[in-house]
Amino acid sequence: MSNINGKVIAITGASSGIGEATARLLASQGARVVLGARRLERLEALAASINDNGGSAVVRALDVTSRAEMQGFIDFAEQQFGRVDVIVNNAGVMPLSKLEALKVDEWDRMIDVNIRGVLHGIAAGLPLMQRQRSGQFINVASIGAYAVSPTAAVYCATKYAVRAISEGLRQEVGGDIRVTLISPGVTESELAESISDADARSAMRDFRQIAIPAEAIARAIAYAIDQPADVDVSELIVRPTASPY
Ligand code: NDP
């Protein structure tokens, strides 16, 4: 019997890439999925496709940089289904560039989405999970949470932060609540489209040729959810076999 079947799973950044693949996979395994992102029409098309295939999906527009919107998203999930079993803090942006390019607004955006977004998800979901005496946070970091490379200093800093926050949360809430860090290597998605720096963009185009499908990361997320309640899969790195990084 799957431990995914029937679970209420809220996913941020569900409008493309890893979030979308995760929503499809978990819904196909019986989860009731709650989809959040800014591009509402993409979410609605995804939910229609899931529901047409016999799954259960609802959507809500969400900007994770707003604490109020994140709280509204989790409250909506609870209102729809009576509980929230898993929050997948997946939304992220990666506008790479060298520090000397001084794209300070893009640094701020990475900090706001990649770090504050995850913290907002924790703030919105933790009291509810503590009341339920069960729940799971799945935070999507990156191989950039383990090593730094040129053009990726700020992006990696945000992902190191997600790793630190996840480990701290795991230590504090252990008992009833599970915490899982999923760190993808290069994966097919729209992530590189946020790169405005021409050099970083063309380097990334070469780097991404070995990308694995987003569904590979979705399977890792499903594996972590599917474990029995007393088993916490704390960290998983999933990367292309051909990747040296
Ligand atoms: P995509 O660009 O395809 O997906 C990113 C998602 O985040 C979109 O659904 C986007 O939706 C959402 N998002 C961005 N900003 C916000 C915001 N302010 N509020 C709400 N949602 C937002 O890329 P991926 O699927 O690759 O990215 C998912 C995660 O995986 C990210 O955290 C990324 O850092 C991580 N990752 C990806 C890797 C890769 O190679 N693909 C490698 C390592 C980590 P919308 O624009 O509609 O709001």
Side-chain angles (χ1 to χ4, degrees), residues 13-19 37-39 62-65 90-93 113 140-142 155 159 184-187 189-191 208:
S15 59
S16 63
I18 292 167
R38 292 164 305 170
R39 290 172 295 174
L62 167 67
D63 184 337
V64 298
T65 66
N90 164 72
V93 291
V113 177
V140 178
S142 167
Y155 179 73
K159 295 303 190 176
V186 62
T187 303
S189 77
E190 298 176 13
L191 194 66
R208 295 186 81 79

mmCIF file of all heavy atoms in Angstrom, residues 13-19 37-39 62-65 90-93 113 140-142 155 159 184-187 189-191 208, ligand 1:
data_model
loop_
_atom_site.group_PDB
_atom_site.id
_atom_site.type_symbol
_atom_site.label_atom_id
_atom_site.label_comp_id
_atom_site.label_asym_id
_atom_site.label_seq_id
_atom_site.Cartn_x
_atom_site.Cartn_y
_atom_site.Cartn_z
ATOM 1 N N GLY A 13 5.887 26.491 -6.954
ATOM 2 C CA GLY A 13 6.589 26.428 -8.235
ATOM 3 C C GLY A 13 6.126 25.252 -9.067
ATOM 4 O O GLY A 13 6.919 24.582 -9.719
ATOM 5 N N ALA A 14 4.817 25.023 -9.070
ATOM 6 C CA ALA A 14 4.265 23.848 -9.760
ATOM 7 C C ALA A 14 3.935 24.129 -11.225
ATOM 8 O O ALA A 14 3.429 23.250 -11.911
ATOM 9 C CB ALA A 14 3.009 23.358 -9.025
ATOM 10 N N SER A 15 4.219 25.339 -11.710
ATOM 11 C CA SER A 15 3.786 25.687 -13.074
ATOM 12 C C SER A 15 4.738 25.210 -14.159
ATOM 13 O O SER A 15 4.413 25.306 -15.337
ATOM 14 C CB SER A 15 3.590 27.208 -13.190
ATOM 15 O OG SER A 15 4.798 27.875 -12.879
ATOM 16 N N SER A 16 5.917 24.695 -13.796
ATOM 17 C CA SER A 16 6.836 24.167 -14.822
ATOM 18 C C SER A 16 7.866 23.252 -14.162
ATOM 19 O O SER A 16 7.908 23.125 -12.935
ATOM 20 C CB SER A 16 7.536 25.313 -15.574
ATOM 21 O OG SER A 16 8.338 26.070 -14.703
ATOM 22 N N GLY A 17 8.676 22.622 -15.002
ATOM 23 C CA GLY A 17 9.851 21.887 -14.557
ATOM 24 C C GLY A 17 9.604 20.848 -13.479
ATOM 25 O O GLY A 17 8.685 20.016 -13.575
ATOM 26 N N ILE A 18 10.414 20.896 -12.442
ATOM 27 C CA ILE A 18 10.394 19.884 -11.383
ATOM 28 C C ILE A 18 9.066 19.902 -10.625
ATOM 29 O O ILE A 18 8.511 18.844 -10.290
ATOM 30 C CB ILE A 18 11.591 20.117 -10.423
ATOM 31 C CG1 ILE A 18 12.905 19.815 -11.162
ATOM 32 C CG2 ILE A 18 11.456 19.278 -9.153
ATOM 33 C CD1 ILE A 18 14.167 20.296 -10.443
ATOM 34 N N GLY A 19 8.536 21.093 -10.359
ATOM 35 C CA GLY A 19 7.267 21.183 -9.629
ATOM 36 C C GLY A 19 6.130 20.541 -10.408
ATOM 37 O O GLY A 19 5.314 19.792 -9.853
ATOM 38 N N ALA A 37 1.920 28.854 -7.844
ATOM 39 C CA ALA A 37 2.948 29.571 -8.614
ATOM 40 C C ALA A 37 2.296 30.867 -9.067
ATOM 41 O O ALA A 37 1.099 31.085 -8.819
ATOM 42 C CB ALA A 37 3.437 28.765 -9.818
ATOM 43 N N ARG A 38 3.063 31.715 -9.766
ATOM 44 C CA ARG A 38 2.474 32.986 -10.208
ATOM 45 C C ARG A 38 1.687 32.815 -11.501
ATOM 46 O O ARG A 38 0.697 33.478 -11.702
ATOM 47 C CB ARG A 38 3.590 34.031 -10.391
ATOM 48 C CG ARG A 38 4.243 34.439 -9.065
ATOM 49 C CD ARG A 38 5.549 35.154 -9.317
ATOM 50 N NE ARG A 38 6.417 34.330 -10.149
ATOM 51 C CZ ARG A 38 7.547 34.748 -10.697
ATOM 52 N NH1 ARG A 38 7.950 35.972 -10.497
ATOM 53 N NH2 ARG A 38 8.267 33.935 -11.439
ATOM 54 N N ARG A 39 2.113 31.922 -12.385
ATOM 55 C CA ARG A 39 1.427 31.773 -13.684
ATOM 56 C C ARG A 39 0.204 30.866 -13.536
ATOM 57 O O ARG A 39 0.266 29.655 -13.728
ATOM 58 C CB ARG A 39 2.406 31.218 -14.723
ATOM 59 C CG ARG A 39 3.494 32.220 -15.129
ATOM 60 C CD ARG A 39 4.552 31.575 -15.990
ATOM 61 N NE ARG A 39 5.302 30.562 -15.264
ATOM 62 C CZ ARG A 39 6.216 29.759 -15.810
ATOM 63 N NH1 ARG A 39 6.484 29.854 -17.095
ATOM 64 N NH2 ARG A 39 6.855 28.862 -15.077
ATOM 65 N N LEU A 62 0.251 32.092 -6.381
ATOM 66 C CA LEU A 62 1.146 32.213 -5.221
ATOM 67 C C LEU A 62 2.443 32.885 -5.625
ATOM 68 O O LEU A 62 3.109 32.463 -6.570
ATOM 69 C CB LEU A 62 1.459 30.800 -4.678
ATOM 70 C CG LEU A 62 2.603 30.698 -3.672
ATOM 71 C CD1 LEU A 62 2.243 31.397 -2.353
ATOM 72 C CD2 LEU A 62 2.963 29.228 -3.408
ATOM 73 N N ASP A 63 2.802 33.919 -4.874
ATOM 74 C CA ASP A 63 4.158 34.468 -4.944
ATOM 75 C C ASP A 63 4.814 34.148 -3.604
ATOM 76 O O ASP A 63 4.418 34.690 -2.564
ATOM 77 C CB ASP A 63 4.107 35.982 -5.190
ATOM 78 C CG ASP A 63 5.506 36.571 -5.365
ATOM 79 O OD1 ASP A 63 6.476 35.962 -4.883
ATOM 80 O OD2 ASP A 63 5.615 37.649 -5.974
ATOM 81 N N VAL A 64 5.816 33.274 -3.629
ATOM 82 C CA VAL A 64 6.394 32.793 -2.354
ATOM 83 C C VAL A 64 7.156 33.886 -1.610
ATOM 84 O O VAL A 64 7.483 33.705 -0.436
ATOM 85 C CB VAL A 64 7.315 31.571 -2.572
ATOM 86 C CG1 VAL A 64 6.568 30.392 -3.149
ATOM 87 C CG2 VAL A 64 8.544 31.920 -3.420
ATOM 88 N N THR A 65 7.450 35.002 -2.286
ATOM 89 C CA THR A 65 8.160 36.071 -1.579
ATOM 90 C C THR A 65 7.234 36.815 -0.613
ATOM 91 O O THR A 65 7.709 37.607 0.197
ATOM 92 C CB THR A 65 8.795 37.081 -2.564
ATOM 93 O OG1 THR A 65 7.752 37.772 -3.260
ATOM 94 C CG2 THR A 65 9.696 36.381 -3.563
ATOM 95 N N ASN A 90 9.549 24.177 -3.515
ATOM 96 C CA ASN A 90 10.292 23.935 -4.750
ATOM 97 C C ASN A 90 10.578 25.208 -5.550
ATOM 98 O O ASN A 90 11.553 25.257 -6.292
ATOM 99 C CB ASN A 90 9.481 22.945 -5.613
ATOM 100 C CG ASN A 90 9.942 22.914 -7.046
ATOM 101 O OD1 ASN A 90 11.020 22.401 -7.351
ATOM 102 N ND2 ASN A 90 9.142 23.482 -7.945
ATOM 103 N N ALA A 91 9.752 26.241 -5.409
ATOM 104 C CA ALA A 91 9.912 27.447 -6.236
ATOM 105 C C ALA A 91 11.331 27.986 -6.122
ATOM 106 O O ALA A 91 11.898 28.060 -5.022
ATOM 107 C CB ALA A 91 8.922 28.524 -5.808
ATOM 108 N N GLY A 92 11.923 28.353 -7.265
ATOM 109 C CA GLY A 92 13.274 28.899 -7.234
ATOM 110 C C GLY A 92 13.605 29.616 -8.522
ATOM 111 O O GLY A 92 12.971 29.396 -9.558
ATOM 112 N N VAL A 93 14.599 30.508 -8.448
ATOM 113 C CA VAL A 93 15.099 31.201 -9.636
ATOM 114 C C VAL A 93 16.626 31.153 -9.624
ATOM 115 O O VAL A 93 17.247 31.009 -8.576
ATOM 116 C CB VAL A 93 14.613 32.675 -9.698
ATOM 117 C CG1 VAL A 93 13.116 32.742 -9.950
ATOM 118 C CG2 VAL A 93 14.996 33.428 -8.427
ATOM 119 N N VAL A 113 13.224 34.685 -3.292
ATOM 120 C CA VAL A 113 12.483 33.485 -3.724
ATOM 121 C C VAL A 113 13.079 32.228 -3.076
ATOM 122 O O VAL A 113 12.368 31.429 -2.463
ATOM 123 C CB VAL A 113 12.498 33.341 -5.265
ATOM 124 C CG1 VAL A 113 11.788 32.051 -5.687
ATOM 125 C CG2 VAL A 113 11.849 34.545 -5.929
ATOM 126 N N VAL A 140 13.611 21.905 -1.891
ATOM 127 C CA VAL A 140 14.432 21.636 -3.071
ATOM 128 C C VAL A 140 15.629 22.587 -3.054
ATOM 129 O O VAL A 140 15.467 23.808 -3.144
ATOM 130 C CB VAL A 140 13.613 21.783 -4.365
ATOM 131 C CG1 VAL A 140 14.507 21.545 -5.585
ATOM 132 C CG2 VAL A 140 12.447 20.793 -4.366
ATOM 133 N N ALA A 141 16.823 22.006 -2.900
ATOM 134 C CA ALA A 141 18.064 22.802 -2.934
ATOM 135 C C ALA A 141 18.702 22.604 -4.304
ATOM 136 O O ALA A 141 18.068 22.856 -5.333
ATOM 137 C CB ALA A 141 18.986 22.404 -1.798
ATOM 138 N N SER A 142 19.930 22.092 -4.337
ATOM 139 C CA SER A 142 20.669 21.961 -5.611
ATOM 140 C C SER A 142 22.022 21.336 -5.299
ATOM 141 O O SER A 142 22.469 21.368 -4.138
ATOM 142 C CB SER A 142 20.876 23.365 -6.196
ATOM 143 O OG SER A 142 21.826 23.340 -7.243
ATOM 144 N N TYR A 155 23.523 32.315 -6.055
ATOM 145 C CA TYR A 155 22.605 31.166 -6.164
ATOM 146 C C TYR A 155 23.027 30.063 -5.188
ATOM 147 O O TYR A 155 22.195 29.538 -4.436
ATOM 148 C CB TYR A 155 22.605 30.633 -7.604
ATOM 149 C CG TYR A 155 21.706 29.427 -7.808
ATOM 150 C CD1 TYR A 155 20.320 29.566 -7.817
ATOM 151 C CD2 TYR A 155 22.240 28.150 -7.966
ATOM 152 C CE1 TYR A 155 19.492 28.459 -7.991
ATOM 153 C CE2 TYR A 155 21.422 27.044 -8.154
ATOM 154 C CZ TYR A 155 20.047 27.209 -8.162
ATOM 155 O OH TYR A 155 19.225 26.108 -8.332
ATOM 156 N N LYS A 159 21.217 28.276 -1.836
ATOM 157 C CA LYS A 159 20.966 26.837 -1.695
ATOM 158 C C LYS A 159 21.707 26.262 -0.487
ATOM 159 O O LYS A 159 21.192 25.344 0.174
ATOM 160 C CB LYS A 159 21.338 26.111 -2.993
ATOM 161 C CG LYS A 159 20.453 26.526 -4.182
ATOM 162 C CD LYS A 159 18.965 26.291 -3.900
ATOM 163 C CE LYS A 159 18.080 26.466 -5.130
ATOM 164 N NZ LYS A 159 16.668 26.150 -4.865
ATOM 165 N N PRO A 184 18.907 18.550 -6.740
ATOM 166 C CA PRO A 184 19.094 18.120 -8.127
ATOM 167 C C PRO A 184 20.406 18.627 -8.706
ATOM 168 O O PRO A 184 20.860 19.728 -8.387
ATOM 169 C CB PRO A 184 17.917 18.782 -8.873
ATOM 170 C CG PRO A 184 17.008 19.348 -7.823
ATOM 171 C CD PRO A 184 17.860 19.587 -6.619
ATOM 172 N N GLY A 185 20.980 17.825 -9.600
ATOM 173 C CA GLY A 185 21.961 18.328 -10.556
ATOM 174 C C GLY A 185 21.199 18.876 -11.746
ATOM 175 O O GLY A 185 19.983 19.106 -11.674
ATOM 176 N N VAL A 186 21.897 19.036 -12.863
ATOM 177 C CA VAL A 186 21.266 19.717 -13.993
ATOM 178 C C VAL A 186 20.087 18.898 -14.541
ATOM 179 O O VAL A 186 20.217 17.723 -14.838
ATOM 180 C CB VAL A 186 22.325 20.084 -15.059
ATOM 181 C CG1 VAL A 186 23.017 18.867 -15.631
ATOM 182 C CG2 VAL A 186 21.720 20.913 -16.153
ATOM 183 N N THR A 187 18.945 19.569 -14.608
ATOM 184 C CA THR A 187 17.655 18.923 -14.881
ATOM 185 C C THR A 187 16.889 19.754 -15.904
ATOM 186 O O THR A 187 16.923 20.993 -15.854
ATOM 187 C CB THR A 187 16.843 18.860 -13.559
ATOM 188 O OG1 THR A 187 17.606 18.163 -12.583
ATOM 189 C CG2 THR A 187 15.502 18.178 -13.761
ATOM 190 N N SER A 189 14.251 21.904 -17.440
ATOM 191 C CA SER A 189 13.226 22.800 -16.876
ATOM 192 C C SER A 189 13.393 24.162 -17.529
ATOM 193 O O SER A 189 14.193 24.327 -18.445
ATOM 194 C CB SER A 189 13.401 22.926 -15.353
ATOM 195 O OG SER A 189 14.481 23.800 -15.075
ATOM 196 N N GLU A 190 12.668 25.143 -17.015
ATOM 197 C CA GLU A 190 12.769 26.506 -17.552
ATOM 198 C C GLU A 190 13.732 27.374 -16.742
ATOM 199 O O GLU A 190 13.812 28.581 -16.944
ATOM 200 C CB GLU A 190 11.367 27.139 -17.574
ATOM 201 C CG GLU A 190 10.411 26.375 -18.475
ATOM 202 C CD GLU A 190 8.993 26.904 -18.449
ATOM 203 O OE1 GLU A 190 8.752 28.017 -17.931
ATOM 204 O OE2 GLU A 190 8.102 26.197 -18.948
ATOM 205 N N LEU A 191 14.472 26.736 -15.811
ATOM 206 C CA LEU A 191 15.260 27.500 -14.830
ATOM 207 C C LEU A 191 16.269 28.444 -15.478
ATOM 208 O O LEU A 191 16.429 29.586 -15.032
ATOM 209 C CB LEU A 191 15.982 26.529 -13.892
ATOM 210 C CG LEU A 191 16.571 27.131 -12.624
ATOM 211 C CD1 LEU A 191 15.466 27.651 -11.709
ATOM 212 C CD2 LEU A 191 17.439 26.123 -11.886
ATOM 213 N N ARG A 208 23.911 22.358 -19.817
ATOM 214 C CA ARG A 208 22.616 21.698 -19.644
ATOM 215 C C ARG A 208 22.360 20.577 -20.657
ATOM 216 O O ARG A 208 21.322 19.936 -20.612
ATOM 217 C CB ARG A 208 21.479 22.738 -19.717
ATOM 218 C CG ARG A 208 21.525 23.727 -18.567
ATOM 219 C CD ARG A 208 20.332 24.654 -18.564
ATOM 220 N NE ARG A 208 19.166 24.026 -17.977
ATOM 221 C CZ ARG A 208 18.952 23.890 -16.678
ATOM 222 N NH1 ARG A 208 19.834 24.317 -15.810
ATOM 223 N NH2 ARG A 208 17.874 23.310 -16.235
HETATM 224 P P1 NDP B 1 11.533 26.157 -13.507
HETATM 225 O O1 NDP B 1 11.986 27.532 -13.860
HETATM 226 O O2 NDP B 1 10.992 25.294 -14.583
HETATM 227 O O3 NDP B 1 10.507 26.205 -12.304
HETATM 228 C C1 NDP B 1 10.600 27.172 -11.277
HETATM 229 C C2 NDP B 1 9.250 27.332 -10.645
HETATM 230 O O4 NDP B 1 9.349 28.287 -9.597
HETATM 231 C C3 NDP B 1 8.195 27.799 -11.622
HETATM 232 O O5 NDP B 1 7.027 27.046 -11.434
HETATM 233 C C4 NDP B 1 7.958 29.248 -11.220
HETATM 234 O O6 NDP B 1 6.592 29.576 -11.436
HETATM 235 C C5 NDP B 1 8.254 29.184 -9.737
HETATM 236 N N1 NDP B 1 8.558 30.484 -9.157
HETATM 237 C C6 NDP B 1 9.554 31.335 -9.457
HETATM 238 N N2 NDP B 1 9.461 32.453 -8.722
HETATM 239 C C7 NDP B 1 8.354 32.292 -7.934
HETATM 240 C C8 NDP B 1 7.708 33.103 -6.968
HETATM 241 N N3 NDP B 1 8.179 34.319 -6.633
HETATM 242 N N4 NDP B 1 6.601 32.622 -6.364
HETATM 243 C C9 NDP B 1 6.114 31.415 -6.694
HETATM 244 N N5 NDP B 1 6.677 30.599 -7.595
HETATM 245 C C10 NDP B 1 7.783 31.055 -8.217
HETATM 246 O O7 NDP B 1 12.828 25.474 -12.848
HETATM 247 P P2 NDP B 1 13.031 24.098 -12.023
HETATM 248 O O8 NDP B 1 11.861 23.220 -12.113
HETATM 249 O O9 NDP B 1 14.350 23.590 -12.424
HETATM 250 O O10 NDP B 1 13.186 24.680 -10.534
HETATM 251 C C11 NDP B 1 12.608 24.075 -9.396
HETATM 252 C C12 NDP B 1 13.627 24.081 -8.265
HETATM 253 O O11 NDP B 1 14.703 23.194 -8.595
HETATM 254 C C13 NDP B 1 14.262 25.438 -7.978
HETATM 255 O O12 NDP B 1 14.315 25.647 -6.581
HETATM 256 C C14 NDP B 1 15.668 25.278 -8.542
HETATM 257 O O13 NDP B 1 16.597 26.123 -7.904
HETATM 258 C C15 NDP B 1 15.919 23.807 -8.277
HETATM 259 N N6 NDP B 1 16.995 23.219 -9.059
HETATM 260 C C16 NDP B 1 16.862 23.034 -10.411
HETATM 261 C C17 NDP B 1 17.911 22.507 -11.139
HETATM 262 C C18 NDP B 1 17.844 22.352 -12.620
HETATM 263 O O14 NDP B 1 18.870 22.056 -13.266
HETATM 264 N N7 NDP B 1 16.681 22.472 -13.228
HETATM 265 C C19 NDP B 1 19.166 22.088 -10.502
HETATM 266 C C20 NDP B 1 19.191 22.319 -9.085
HETATM 267 C C21 NDP B 1 18.147 22.847 -8.401
HETATM 268 P P3 NDP B 1 6.014 31.008 -11.847
HETATM 269 O O15 NDP B 1 7.013 31.671 -12.726
HETATM 270 O O16 NDP B 1 4.728 30.643 -12.538
HETATM 271 O O17 NDP B 1 5.773 31.718 -10.544
#
